[in-house]
Amino acid sequence: IETILDTVNFSTVISDADMVITGEGKMDHQSLRGKVVIGVAKRAKEQNVPVIVIAGGADNGIEEAYNMGVSSIFTINRLPEAFETSRYKSAENLAFTLDNILRLIKIYDT
């Protein structure tokens, strides 16, 4: 991820950003080892830019992500369902979660 972030001049791109929203299928221990979300979060943290992560799911034990620059983690699955069921609702669930995040941001933006 570091090479890609350097290639796209990510630090420059976010230099005047108020926030970064990124995503991952599942936040877990592998995420903490330098996958996209953590790479983005570390760069954003250097510039004090908050990072919101939208994930399909999240495992226990990912609290270290907050020390690495992640500000908040939202999962899109609204009900405890098997993946075989929830995967057909992913677009709808993502839209619902993003709508709620934007509503929250609007509260603090006024």
Side-chain angles (χ1 to χ4, degrees):
I1 187 59
E2 297 301 325
T3 301
I4 292 170
L5 293 173
D6 288 342
T7 300
V8 300
N9 298 312
F10 184 76
S11 297
T12 302
V13 170
I14 67 162
S15 64
D16 62 349
D18 294 325
M19 178 181 303
V20 172
I21 299 176
T22 186
E24 188 158 337
K26 182 179 182 184
M27 284 291 294
D28 57 21
H29 69 280
Q30 289 182 351
S31 304
L32 303 178
R33 290 194 242 151
K35 290 173 74 177
V36 171
V37 166
I38 296 303
V40 166
K42 286 181 176 179
R43 294 284 180 102
K45 183 179 180 179
E46 292 172 359
Q47 297 187 43
N48 296 315
V49 176
V51 173
I52 294 176
V53 175
I54 301 174
D59 270 351
N60 293 324
I62 58 166
E63 293 78 14
E64 182 60 25
Y66 300 118
N67 295 327
M68 299 171 142
V70 171
S71 303
S72 59
I73 300 169
F74 293 87
T75 59
I76 68 167
N77 291 318
R78 299 186 292 171
L79 298 171
E81 299 176 315
F83 175 70
E84 293 77 23
T85 302
S86 67
R87 70 184 181 146
Y88 296 107
K89 302 175 186 177
S90 294
E92 174 187 337
N93 289 344
L94 174 60
F96 180 83
T97 300
L98 190 54
D99 180 66
N100 277 284
I101 292 168
L102 294 174
R103 287 172 185 272
L104 179 62
I105 291 169
K106 185 177 177 182
I107 290 169
Y108 290 99
D109 191 39
T110 56

